[in-house]
């Protein structure tokens, strides 16, 4: 809105205002128009001037004629008065020659410039006797006595009686009016006035009373005298003439020609052309142009002159030089020019003033108002109430100001929103999630960089404008289009949709295992999609789930293990005691005795029970036992026979052992136990006779099983293993009835069996699990119902080592008692204590039993040398067996002490020996072996002593 500093602050009124410019155009135009008009006027004025000039001449002629007639009528009026006087005197009977004569004399005296006044009476008027009688010439003619009076002014104050011819009644001046009984202007005649012959004309009036002509009154005019009066009349330097109907000049500037006849003919030497003469004789007006004797063009106007009604005897001629005629109009062209220019200038001035007032001033005011507006938006705009265009402009400006303000506001708003939008777009552009804007047909309108890279598209152009489904592989496309259809209603009603889809792939090969889609509907029907690859999250979640499941499983196993272990522990003790007594019975009974065979059966069944308990304890303890570097190949080769013999010969058993398999750290006996369990299960799963069992051993990692890869088999990783660690793979596969997923997941639960009562114990797999876990290995089950099964065990590689002698259990050495030993047995469980008491006593030893360590200590304190050896349980109230032994040894380091523990007590032999015990047994304790050991220890102590 600010003006650039170099722009002129105000448009100069002289240089650039609209008004000035308008005037610069209008004023010359007006002047030009005026000049043009003047030019045309001047040109056309010539004809007008000519016409004017002619009319002017005519007017002049008329004017001269009128003036002269008027003078003449005045003179006639004097006679009129005279005639009326006589008339009234006759009418009233007061007529008297003397009175009339006196009246005429007086009239003549009153008009000294007239030639004379007269009254000539009819013969019988006032009788001759009277005139005669008086003998007065003023009262009657000497001879006839007729009354005829003629007075002639003589100087300004005197009159004289003029001469009246005796036969006057024959002359025109009497005869014409008398006969016509009308007033007459009498043509010039020569008459002696006071003895001097004078060319005269007379104006006469007949005096008639009661239809009787009384006489004629008249006045005379001297042609000569009148000519002198008229000589001064030279209008426009021209000449006037008077000519009567007889063609005689009654006035001519050349007095010599007065009363002469005009000369007639063609050419300048003639006074009248024949045509003129014709008109003159008829007393008709005319106009003619002629060339005078000096060769000048002269215009002649002829107009009739009438002195009274019925008078028509003469024409006035006016001769005017043609130049002279138009002289009065000579300045008219210049006048027109000047007038045009002046009026043009005036109009221009008015125009200037008007334009300034109408346009310039309001515009300037408005310009000022706009300037003010720039600084102050609320300033008021003038002229808005005007009804003309200025008012319109002012109102438009007010509206425009509104528009400007609105525009400024909008611009600010747009800027603000643009900034917000840019920030938002920056956010959208930087977002990790793919954000895509669709039109209602799922055609891409916008895709953020994350979306482009998620699709693997080369650029934005490859995405924008395309249908979303078209950017996906045919398999994905179907699913996505299905999703879009399915979500449509929800999206329309709630404006929002969210779901998680699986296996997605773009045409550019980018794939997602799992993705999360959020759709939101915009008010204009567009759809915003936020797409997030949740593959990793999904995997992590699944792994976490799996881990949780495993932890749960382990907790469960642990719990069950502990429970089972506890039960098995006690049961083991009881069983140990039972078997001990059974052994005593077998010793005591005669082998031929029937009872002997029963007891032998009891012993066999008891041993089987002991095996079971042992299995429970193995699982429960999860003790890896002694681990050593062993060659799994050697272990397998050694176990081959045992495994083979565990299943019927009809079942084919195939060993596939790789050439070189690294050593593992393992307990060989337990490995065999594992193999045995797996093989037995494989065997149990067989359908009908036969079937194959495959046992494989090879260095890891194992390839993905083809059946798993093809989806025919499900896979359950029961014990996860880091495949990155070097390991060997041990597999047992069968072609049996296989497992459902449920069975696969519950496989390792203790006591879980599908084999029905009496057949399955549900302990095989838990034992395998316990052992493998103790070895730090992993385990996977692969199977499908009716499709066989594969158990895979992964064992971490251990260091170099030798093959341990397999199942090299030391044979029970039966040593006959050489001397009677005093043995103190410490056990809180009566069954166990009693069994030991019985067994040891039967070998000839003296046995004492203490039920608590405290009691044992008491007995020992009484006489530390009362016993040769001490046999103690580990778990007892108040004090452990080991602690007791340690105490006893402080007093008698040479005292042989033997400790036995349950499986669940998790003590290993080394620790026990280090703690001071001389020998260590696991329950159930075989009495012979314990006794043998005690005897050996005592012998050694005795020989050492
Ligand atoms: P048991 O053999 O006493 O039933 P196990 O713990 O050894 O107990 O096995 C548990 C269950 O696992 C079996 O009852 C059986 O249903 C299933 N099982 C184990 N191994 C296989 C196998 N190779 N094929 C089919 N089922 C098996
Ligand atoms: Mg089994």
């Amino acid at each position: 809105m600010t003006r650039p500093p170099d722009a002129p602050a105000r448009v100069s009124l002289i240089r650039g205002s609209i008004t000035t410019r308008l005037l610069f155009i209008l004023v010359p135009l007006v002047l030009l128009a005026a000049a043009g008009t003047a030019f045309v006027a001047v040109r056309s004025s010539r004809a007008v001037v000519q016409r004017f000039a002619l009319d002017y001449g005519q007017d002049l002629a008329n004017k001269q004629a009128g003036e002269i007639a008027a003078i003449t009528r005045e003179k006639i009026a004097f006679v009129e008065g005279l005639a009326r006087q006589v008339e009234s005197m006759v009418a009233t009977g007061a007529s008297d020659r003397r009175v009339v004569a006196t009246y005429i004399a007086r009239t003549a005296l009153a008009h000294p410039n007239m030639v004379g006044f007269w009254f000539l009476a009819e013969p019988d008027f006032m009788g001759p006797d009277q005139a005669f009688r008086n003998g007065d010439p003023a009262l009657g003619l000497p001879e006839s006595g007729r009354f005829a009076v003629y007075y002639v002014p003589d100087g300004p104050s005197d009159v004289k009686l003029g001469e009246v011819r005796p036969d006057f009644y024959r002359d025109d001046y009497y005869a014409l009016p008398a006969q016509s009984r009308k007033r007459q202007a009498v043509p010039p005649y020569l008459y002696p006035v006071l003895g001097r012959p004078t060319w005269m004309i007379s104006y006469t009036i007949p005096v008639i009373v009661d239809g009787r002509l009384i006489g004629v009154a008249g006045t005379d005019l001297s042609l000569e005298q009148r000519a002198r009066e008229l000589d001064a009349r030279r209008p426009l330097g021209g000449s006037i003439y008077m000519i009567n109907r007889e063609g005689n000049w009654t006035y001519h500037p050349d007095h010599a020609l007065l009363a002469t006849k005009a000369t007639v003919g063609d050419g300048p030497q003639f006074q009248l052309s024949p045509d003129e003469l014709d008109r003159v004789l008829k007393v008709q007006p005319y106009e003619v142009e002629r060339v005078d004797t000096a060769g000048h063009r002269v215009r002649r106007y002829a107009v009739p002159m009438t002195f009274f009604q019925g008078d028509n005897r003469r024409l006035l001629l006016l001769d005017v030089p043609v130049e002279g005629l138009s002289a009065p109009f000579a300045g008219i062209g210049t006048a027109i020019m000047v007038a045009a220019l002046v009026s043009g200038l005036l109009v221009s001035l008015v125009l200037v003033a008007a334009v300034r007032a109408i346009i310039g001033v309001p515009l300037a005011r408005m310009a000022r108002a706009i300037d003010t507006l720039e600084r102050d938006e609320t300033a008021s705009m003038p002229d808005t109430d005007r009804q003309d265009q200025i008012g319109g402009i002012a109102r438009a400006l007010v509206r425009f100001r509104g528009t400007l303000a609105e525009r400024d506001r909008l611009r600010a708003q747009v800027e603000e929103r643009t900034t917000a939008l840019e920030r938002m777009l920056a956010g959208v552009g930087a977002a990790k999630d793919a954000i895509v804007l669709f039109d209602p047909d799922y055609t891409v309108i916008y895709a953020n960089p994350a979306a482009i890279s998620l699709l693997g598209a080369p650029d934005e152009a490859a995405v924008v404008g395309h249908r979303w489904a078209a950017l996906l592989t045919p398999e994905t496309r179907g699913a996505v289009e299905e999703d879009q259809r399915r979500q449509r209603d929800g999206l329309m009603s709630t404006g929002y949709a969210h779901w998680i889809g699986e296996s997605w792939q773009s045409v550019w090969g980018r794939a997602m295992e799992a993705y999360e889609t959020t759709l939101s509907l915009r008010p204009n029907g567009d759809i915003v999609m936020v797409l997030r690859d949740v593959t990793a999250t999904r995997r992590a979640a699944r792994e976490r789930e799996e881990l949780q499941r495993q932890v749960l499983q382990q907790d469960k196993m642990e719990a069950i293990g502990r429970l089972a272990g506890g039960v098995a522990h006690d049961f083991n003790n009881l069983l140990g005691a039972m078997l001990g007594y059974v052994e005593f019975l077998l010793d005591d009974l005669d082998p031929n005795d029937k009872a002997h065979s029963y007891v032998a059966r009891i012993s066999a069944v008891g041993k089987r029970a002991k095996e079971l308990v042992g299995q429970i304890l193995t699982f429960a303890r999860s003790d890896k036992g002694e681990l050593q570097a062993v060659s799994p190949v050697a272990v397998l080769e050694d176990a081959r026979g045992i495994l083979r013999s565990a299943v019927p010969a009809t079942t084919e058993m195939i060993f596939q052992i790789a050439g070189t398999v690294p050593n593992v750290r393992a307990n060989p006996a337990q490995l065999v136990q594992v193999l045995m369990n797996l093989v037995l299960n494989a065997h149990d799963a067989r359908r009908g006779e036969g079937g194959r069992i495959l046992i494989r051993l090879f260095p890891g990692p194992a390839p993905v099983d083809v059946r798993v890869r093809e989806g025919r088999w499900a896979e359950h990783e029961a014990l996860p293993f880091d495949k990155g660690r070097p390991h060997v793979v041990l597999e047992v596969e069968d072609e049996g009835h296989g497992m459902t997923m449920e069975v696969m997941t519950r496989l390792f639960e203790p006591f879980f069996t599908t084999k029905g009562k009496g057949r399955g114990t549900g302990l095989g797999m838990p034992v395998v699990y316990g052992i493998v876990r103790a070895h730090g290995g992993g385990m996977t089950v692969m199977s499908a119902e009716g499709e066989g099964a594969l158990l895979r065990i992964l064992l971490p590689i251990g260091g170099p080592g030798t093959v341990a002698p397999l199942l090299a259990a030391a044979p029970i050495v039966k040593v006959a008692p050489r001397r009677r030993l005093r043995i103190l047995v410490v056990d809180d469980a009566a069954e166990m204590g009693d069994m030991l008491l019985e067994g040891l006593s039967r070998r000839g030893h003296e046995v004492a039993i203490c039920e608590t360590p405290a009691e044992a200590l008491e007995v020992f304190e009484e006489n530390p040398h009362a016993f040769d050896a001490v046999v103690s349980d580990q778990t007892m109230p108040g004090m452990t067996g080991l602690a007791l032994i340690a105490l006893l040894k402080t007093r008698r380091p040479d005292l042989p002490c033997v400790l036995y523990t349950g499986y669940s007590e998790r003590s290993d032999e080394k620790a026990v020996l280090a703690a001071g015990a001389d020998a260590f047994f696991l329950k159930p304790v075989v009495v012979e072996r314990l006794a043998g050991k005690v005897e050996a220890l005592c012998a050694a102590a005795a020989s050492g002593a």
Side-chain angles (χ1 to χ4, degrees):
M1 291 295 280
T2 52
R3 190 194 293 118
D6 53 341
R10 177 66 50 91
V11 178
S12 150
L13 205 70
I14 299 164
R15 286 180 58 229
S17 82
I18 292 178
T19 324
T20 317
R21 271 181 279 159
L22 207 59
L23 292 177
F24 263 96
I25 297 164
L26 284 181
V27 170
L29 272 181
V30 165
L31 291 178
L32 206 67
T37 312
F39 178 73
V40 173
V42 169
R43 281 209 58 172
S44 50
S45 75
R46 276 193 205 147
V48 177
V49 162
Q50 221 152 349
R51 175 121 297 275
F52 266 130
L54 294 185
D55 288 352
Y56 181 52
Q58 183 75 49
D59 285 351
L60 274 181
N62 284 334
K63 193 177 164 217
Q64 291 298 325
E67 279 175 14
I68 295 167
I71 295 166
T72 307
R73 255 181 239 120
E74 215 177 283
K75 292 174 177 164
I76 292 172
F78 309 150
V79 188
E80 189 100 40
L82 182 64
R84 293 287 97 80
Q85 191 62 40
V86 176
E87 232 171 61
S88 68
M89 281 190 289
V90 172
T92 55
S95 58
D96 180 76
R97 290 191 182 198
R98 198 167 296 277
V99 173
V100 173
T102 307
Y103 190 78
I104 292 168
R106 251 186 235 148
T107 306
L109 195 63
H111 302 288
N113 48 349
M114 299 300 286
V115 174
F117 289 88
W118 45 263
F119 181 74
L120 305 176
E122 279 291 286
D124 54 347
F125 181 63
M126 295 184 196
D129 340 329
Q130 269 183 3
F132 199 67
R133 190 182 48 216
N134 290 337
D136 185 346
L139 301 176
L141 291 177
E143 275 154 45
S144 62
R146 269 178 96 161
F147 185 56
V149 179
Y150 181 30
Y151 276 104
V152 176
D154 184 20
S157 55
D158 198 11
V159 289
K160 287 201 171 107
L161 267 177
E163 181 189 346
V164 177
R165 296 213 311 235
D167 53 351
F168 68 84
Y169 48 88
R170 295 182 209 239
D171 288 339
D172 282 349
Y173 55 82
Y174 186 85
L176 284 177
Q179 276 157 27
S180 68
R181 291 198 167 201
K182 282 181 180 160
R183 51 183 67 190
Q184 297 288 344
V186 181
Y189 58 97
L190 198 62
Y191 196 84
V193 178
L194 299 182
R196 204 170 56 241
T198 307
W199 276 99
M200 293 202 304
I201 47 172
S202 301
Y203 303 111
T204 63
I205 299 172
V207 177
I208 297 164
V209 177
D210 298 333
R212 190 169 66 98
L213 180 71
I214 302 298
V216 174
T219 183
D220 304 324
L221 198 77
S222 157
L223 281 186
E224 183 81 32
Q225 191 187 339
R226 189 174 69 174
R228 277 196 298 277
E229 283 170 13
L230 295 181
D231 277 346
R233 295 181 181 265
R234 299 187 61 82
L236 297 179
S239 310
I240 58 167
Y241 312 91
M242 288 167 70
I243 189 163
N244 66 13
R245 57 199 286 180
E246 286 81 30
N248 294 326
W249 297 109
T250 54
Y251 171 71
H252 198 286
D254 181 358
H255 295 189
L257 295 178
L258 287 173
T260 64
K261 259 207 167 24
T263 62
V264 175
D266 288 315
Q269 65 272 29
F270 295 101
Q271 293 165 332
L272 295 178
S273 70
D275 277 352
E276 287 183 83
L277 179 67
D278 190 39
R279 299 294 185 106
V280 166
L281 295 183
K282 290 177 186 162
V283 198
Q284 282 180 344
Y286 70 87
E287 257 181 74
V288 72
E289 210 166 286
R290 59 198 314 271
V291 178
D292 68 5
T293 44
H296 297 119
R297 282 177 64 223
V298 171
R299 187 92 190 162
R300 170 168 291 171
Y301 298 92
V303 291
M305 294 172 78
T306 307
F307 299 152
F308 47 84
Q309 201 176 356
D311 177 38
N312 186 27
R313 312 196 28 93
R314 67 205 75 78
L315 290 173
L316 177 113
L317 303 189
L318 172 65
D319 278 5
V320 188
V322 172
E323 294 88 65
L325 257 186
S326 47
F329 304 100
I332 205 164
T334 322
I336 290 174
M337 285 298 271
V338 169
L341 283 177
V342 166
S343 56
L345 274 172
L346 278 175
V347 168
S348 298
L349 279 175
V350 169
L351 217 59
V352 168
V355 165
R356 274 212 62 185
I358 295 168
I359 301 174
V361 171
L363 279 184
R365 193 159 58 218
M366 210 170 290
R368 274 195 302 279
I370 291 171
D371 275 354
T372 318
L373 273 184
E374 278 187 9
R375 293 188 296 273
D376 174 15
E377 269 190 23
T378 56
S380 71
M381 171 69 70
D383 297 334
T384 47
D385 48 352
R386 283 173 71 133
Q387 289 308 306
D388 55 7
Q389 287 93 327
I390 296 274
I393 292 171
R395 285 190 295 278
L397 277 172
V398 170
R399 282 197 301 277
F400 183 57
R401 173 177 62 184
T403 314
L404 275 185
E406 176 68 10
R407 196 185 63 187
D408 284 352
R409 202 177 59 71
L410 282 179
R411 186 178 292 160
Q413 211 172 40
V414 164
E415 269 166 20
E416 194 176 292
R417 291 198 183 160
T418 306
T419 315
L421 203 64
E422 275 166 359
R423 282 191 201 128
M424 207 174 77
L425 274 180
V428 169
K432 289 223 172 56
D433 292 338
I435 298 173
V436 185
L437 179 65
F438 296 121
D439 73 3
D441 283 339
Y442 285 99
T443 301
V444 178
I445 297 169
Y446 167 80
N448 73 343
I452 308 288
S453 78
L454 187 79
L455 284 162
D459 54 20
E460 205 181 317
V463 176
V464 171
H466 295 269
R467 302 272 307 233
W468 181 245
L471 306 175
L472 308 173
T473 57
E475 302 83 53
T476 314
R477 190 176 307 159
V480 164
E481 277 176 341
E482 177 58 32
D483 284 340
Q484 287 170 358
R485 252 194 307 283
R486 205 152 31 80
Q487 301 298 340
R488 184 162 218 104
D489 289 344
L491 195 59
M492 291 301 156
S493 57
T494 64
Y496 180 80
H498 174 259
W499 75 96
I500 290 179
E502 275 174 0
S503 49
W504 177 100
Q505 197 174 3
S506 79
V507 290
W508 291 284
R510 292 289 165 84
M512 291 189 281
E513 249 176 52
Y515 59 93
E516 190 180 343
T517 306
T518 307
L519 295 185
S520 33
L521 189 66
R522 302 200 59 233
N524 68 350
D526 288 351
I527 298 160
V528 180
M529 176 178 78
V530 179
L531 186 64
R532 177 181 294 179
D533 184 354
V534 293
T535 307
T537 328
R538 251 290 194 75
R539 274 190 200 149
R542 216 182 293 144
E543 267 163 30
R544 195 168 52 239
E545 231 169 68
E546 176 66 11
L547 276 173
Q548 252 163 12
R549 204 187 54 69
Q550 282 173 10
V551 168
L552 264 176
Q553 173 81 354
Q554 276 166 18
D555 286 354
K556 191 162 76 180
M557 303 279 248
E558 193 90 35
I560 295 169
R562 232 179 259 141
L563 178 71
V567 174
H569 178 74
D570 290 345
F571 193 65
N572 204 24
N573 288 348
L574 298 172
L575 209 54
M578 251 170 66
L579 281 174
Y581 290 117
V582 166
E583 288 306 311
F584 303 152
L585 268 177
L586 278 177
D587 276 357
D588 292 353
L589 285 170
D590 178 1
N592 297 321
D593 192 342
K594 207 176 175 183
H596 188 278
S597 71
Y598 293 156
V599 175
R601 288 239 187 115
I602 293 171
S603 168
V605 173
K607 278 177 184 148
R608 171 100 183 86
K610 219 178 113 182
E611 266 172 37
L612 275 176
V613 171
Q615 278 194 350
I616 294 172
L617 289 171
T618 305
F619 159 72
R621 187 176 54 165
S622 288
D623 186 0
K624 52 192 166 195
E626 294 270 330
L627 292 192
Q628 49 191 288
V630 293
S631 160
V633 178
V635 173
L636 192 54
E637 289 295 349
D638 280 348
R640 216 167 155 151
I642 306 169
L643 295 174
R644 179 65 266 189
S645 60
V647 296
T650 48
T651 304
E652 199 183 341
M653 196 177 261
I654 300 166
F655 287 86
Q656 295 174 336
I657 302 170
T660 48
V661 182
N663 286 346
V664 293
R665 281 196 64 80
N667 182 318
Q670 287 183 340
L671 277 191
V672 174
Q673 204 178 346
V674 164
L675 276 167
M676 184 61 91
N677 273 310
L678 296 182
V679 167
L680 283 175
N681 279 345
H683 168 74
D684 288 346
R686 82 193 190 285
R687 289 165 292 189
E689 290 296 305
R692 294 187 303 170
I693 297 175
L694 291 102
I695 299 165
R696 292 187 207 93
L697 178 66
F698 56 93
V704 175
D705 191 275
V706 64
R707 289 153 297 195
V708 170
R709 198 175 57 226
E710 289 174 1
R712 288 189 275 134
W713 272 7
E715 185 182 32
H716 172 59
E717 193 177 21
L719 200 53
F721 182 78
D722 175 11
K723 315 259 184 330
R725 278 172 73 194
H727 60 279
V728 297
V729 181
L730 184 60
E731 289 182 349
V732 177
E733 185 185 332
D734 64 67
E735 296 172 331
H737 52 63
M739 288 171 267
T740 61
M741 193 65 204
E742 205 228 326
V743 174
M744 281 167 74
T745 50
R746 300 192 59 193
L747 194 60
F748 299 96
E749 270 177 35
F751 313 114
F752 171 76
T753 178
T754 59
K755 289 174 188 164
K757 271 197 181 142
R759 288 200 56 220
T761 58
L763 281 169
M765 293 312 289
V767 166
V768 169
Y769 182 90
I771 291 171
V772 173
R773 192 181 58 180
H775 279 72
M779 197 154 63
T780 306
V781 196
M782 289 163 260
S783 180
E785 209 176 356
E787 296 289 331
L790 169 60
L791 272 291
R792 174 182 288 164
I793 289 164
L794 312 176
L795 291 171
I797 287 174
T802 51
V803 184
L806 186 61
L807 302 179
I812 295 166
V813 186
K814 290 202 174 185
V815 183
R818 289 291 173 257
R819 83 184 169 97
R820 183 185 167 85
L821 296 171
R822 294 163 303 168
I823 302 170
L824 176 63
V825 173
V826 190
D827 197 326
D828 57 326
E831 301 84 6
M832 189 69 184
D834 290 350
M835 194 276 284
L836 283 177
L837 172 69
E838 183 65 31
L840 293 171
S841 305
R842 286 172 74 93
R843 288 176 74 103
H845 300 301
E846 192 178 315
V847 179
I849 293 181
C850 288
E851 290 199 341
T852 63
E855 193 186 339
L857 280 173
E858 213 171 286
V859 173
F860 183 76
E861 285 302 318
E862 262 173 36
N863 180 7
H865 294 280
F867 300 99
D868 301 311
V870 174
V871 175
S872 170
D873 190 12
Q874 164 70 354
T875 314
M876 285 180 298
M879 191 183 285
T880 64
L882 265 180
L884 175 66
I885 290 169
L887 275 174
L888 297 177
K889 286 266 181 179
T890 53
R891 298 290 296 272
R892 271 192 65 187
D894 61 319
L895 181 70
C897 294
V898 175
L899 188 78
Y900 57 88
T901 71
Y903 271 47
S904 57
E905 283 153 327
R906 298 194 171 264
S907 42
D908 72 32
E909 195 170 355
K910 250 182 228 157
V912 171
L913 299 182
D918 298 294
F920 169 73
F921 287 87
L922 277 176
K923 291 180 187 174
V925 178
V926 178
V927 183
E928 280 83 17
R929 288 176 63 185
L930 181 103
K933 190 74 190 178
V934 171
E935 284 156 10
L937 284 171
C938 287
S943 63

